[in-house]
Structure formats: structure tokens, C-alpha cells
Amino acid sequence: MVIDFHTHMFPDSLAVKTIPLLAERSGLMAHTDGTVKQTLEKMKEAGVTCAVQQNIATNPRQMTKVNDFAISCNQLDEIVAFGSVHPEADSLEYELDKLKDAGILGIKLHPDYQGFFVDDPKMQPVYEAILKRGFILQFHTGLDLGLPEPIHAAPKALSRTLGLFSGEKVVFAHMAGFQMADDALEYIIGKDVYIDTSCAFGYADENMLLTMFKSHPENKILFATDCPWGNFKTDIKALLSLDLTDELKEKILHKNAEKLLAFK
């Protein structure tokens, strides 16, 4: 069983425009066309049982449409869709209640796209509103290749939020700092917070990845690809090739996610 904790899919009409634009901005190659249909096909080919779909409301106006799409995708057996709220939206609390009532399990925040620094005190009420409802809270962290600096969720800044998240279901994507592995190792790795492996394989040094995997709590590491920017087959193969115990590989590939998502 394989659970990919970090994937992106779009409505068909949006995918045809969005994927080429994001590919051009980031310089990355897309491994799917961004549609639900093709993503499910690629998952089946690679043996991925379930994908957690990370949706992002990049402005308050689109928040409702983004979340309506998430709710529709969450009805599919192979997808666990996360919603998103924008910190500047007046209807944030209403939207969170709607998502909770619809059975959505998590919320994705992207500090770069949503224009906030992760350790800004003004974000504390937003975090509290999300976590008090029992949601998993997932953050993009580190550099985003499609956006200019400043980096809004650097590992050092993330470390200043840890006091807010003690015992909570919080995930720092991209190994707690895309393209910032040294800082992630110094400030986040080893702490009581989830990390996912999205954009790790092929970007971070293998020895550094081994150090990070072996230094972090074994039950707090989640397999993820960031599909369409990551490749299911390639990333699974890369993880399986690492000098880690079979037990840890099983935890990363699915057991930790099963527990976090409360799968029966």
C-alpha cells in the first residue's frame, strides 16, 4: 500500500491552463496533465492506493470554488482532498465549518501564494481556528520555484511556530524546507511535527536525506511526491532504494498516513 500525502489536481478546464503556466514559471516538468482522471491513471500504474489532494486558495475570491472542488473530489475512493482558506477572507470561519461538515480532513496553507509569513503573530487566530476543529494543517515550506523571494516559510521561522503546534496534527511539506535542507535539519528535524517527502528525491543530497530520515521521529514522516511535479514511480523507487529498515519504509509509505488520516 502507498499513500501519497501531497498531490495537486485541478478541474479539467483549469488544468489545461494552469499546468503549462506553472511549469514555465518553475522550470519543472509536469508528470501528469493535472486532471483528476490522468492522476488516477498514473496512480494505478505506480501502485499508489490513495492520494491526498492539496488545494490552495490563492486569494479570498476563489476560496469557495477551490473548496467546492475539494469536496467533490473527496467523494472518490482514491482521493482524500484537503481544503484551503485564505487568511484575508471574511468568511474564513464559515468556510472551515462547511469543510468540516462535508467530511474534509485537512487544510492546506501556502504562505508564499497567500502572502503571509508563517511566524507572523496575526496568523495565530487562523491556525487556532483550523486546529480547534480537528483539521490536519499542512504548510508549504521553503522555496517555491515559481515565486520570487522572500521565502515566507523558512525552517527558522517555522521553528518559532512549534510552540503553537505541540501535539497538533501539523505537516511541514518538502522535508520542512524545500532547497533548505541544512536549515531544516538544524531547526525542524527531530521535532514533534510531521514532515512529508515531496520534492525531496532528486533535489536533496541522498546522504542528507538519510540523516534527516534517521533523525526525525519515525511515526512523523509521510511519503509524498508533489505530483504532477513529482513522479510516483520514481519517488517510490528512490525511497525503497535508501538504506533504511523495511519497517521505517512501510511507515513512510503508508502506515503513518493511515494513522494520521484515521483510516479503518
Side-chain angles (χ1 to χ4, degrees):
M1 185 173 183
V2 177
I3 298 175
D4 187 334
F5 212 85
H6 191 146
T7 66
H8 297 285
M9 304 167 220
F10 303 89
D12 291 359
S13 60
L14 187 59
V16 70
K17 299 178 289 186
T18 300
I19 295 302
L21 177 62
L22 292 176
E24 182 180 0
R25 285 181 180 175
S26 65
L28 297 174
M29 180 181 73
H31 296 279
T32 75
D33 63 4
T35 64
V36 173
K37 181 177 183 293
Q38 190 173 99
T39 303
L40 291 175
E41 291 171 355
K42 296 291 185 180
M43 286 169 57
K44 187 175 182 179
E45 291 173 9
V48 175
T49 316
C50 175
V52 179
Q53 180 197 66
Q54 303 288 347
N55 295 287
I56 305 166
T58 60
N59 62 64
R61 298 184 306 279
Q62 68 170 202
M63 185 174 67
T64 298
K65 287 185 177 180
V66 166
N67 289 326
D68 288 347
F69 177 65
I71 291 168
S72 70
C73 292
N74 204 48
Q75 309 307 310
L76 300 172
D77 291 340
E78 303 93 339
I79 295 176
V80 174
F82 280 16
S84 184
V85 291
H86 196 282
E88 297 176 7
D90 294 334
S91 57
L92 184 146
E93 298 256 3
Y94 171 84
E95 199 72 12
L96 289 172
D97 287 337
K98 182 184 80 173
L99 290 166
K100 189 69 176 179
D101 290 344
I104 296 295
L105 296 179
I107 301 295
K108 170 69 178 284
L109 296 179
H110 195 307
D112 292 323
Y113 272 106
Q114 296 180 315
F116 67 89
F117 286 94
V118 71
D119 57 341
D120 189 329
K122 75 178 184 181
M123 289 301 299
Q124 185 170 342
V126 177
Y127 302 154
E128 291 175 350
I130 293 167
L131 294 172
K132 75 179 182 182
R133 289 170 168 83
F135 287 113
I136 301 164
L137 174 54
Q138 173 124 350
F139 288 93
H140 166 86
T141 72
L143 178 68
D144 187 298
L145 291 174
L147 293 173
E149 295 190 13
I151 295 171
H152 290 79
K156 188 173 183 179
L158 291 167
S159 71
R160 292 192 283 267
T161 70
L162 291 174
L164 302 174
F165 300 146
S166 178
E168 299 285 1
K169 297 178 289 187
V170 175
V171 183
F172 292 160
H174 310 304
M175 299 295 286
F178 179 59
Q179 301 286 65
M180 303 184 76
D182 289 337
D183 284 352
L185 184 62
E186 178 178 356
Y187 292 108
I188 301 298
I189 299 303
K191 307 298 184 184
D192 185 25
V193 65
Y194 287 91
I195 59 173
D196 82 26
T197 69
S198 56
C199 293
F201 305 110
Y203 293 94
D205 176 78
E206 184 174 312
N207 290 329
M208 172 60 84
L209 286 178
L210 280 171
T211 298
M212 297 171 88
F213 285 138
K214 293 178 179 180
S215 301
H216 201 70
E218 289 192 354
N219 63 336
K220 297 280 186 173
I221 309 171
L222 305 164
F223 176 75
T225 64
D226 205 15
C227 176
W229 315 115
N231 181 290
F232 295 128
K233 290 182 179 180
T234 301
D235 282 13
I236 292 170
K237 183 178 179 181
L239 176 64
L240 293 176
S241 72
L242 292 177
D243 182 22
L244 302 171
T245 66
D246 289 342
E247 181 182 6
L248 179 53
K249 290 175 184 177
E250 287 292 310
K251 287 182 176 180
I252 295 171
L253 282 172
H254 68 94
K255 287 185 177 180
N256 291 339
E258 286 179 89
K259 186 173 181 180
L260 181 57
L261 296 168
F263 280 7
K264 303 295 185 183

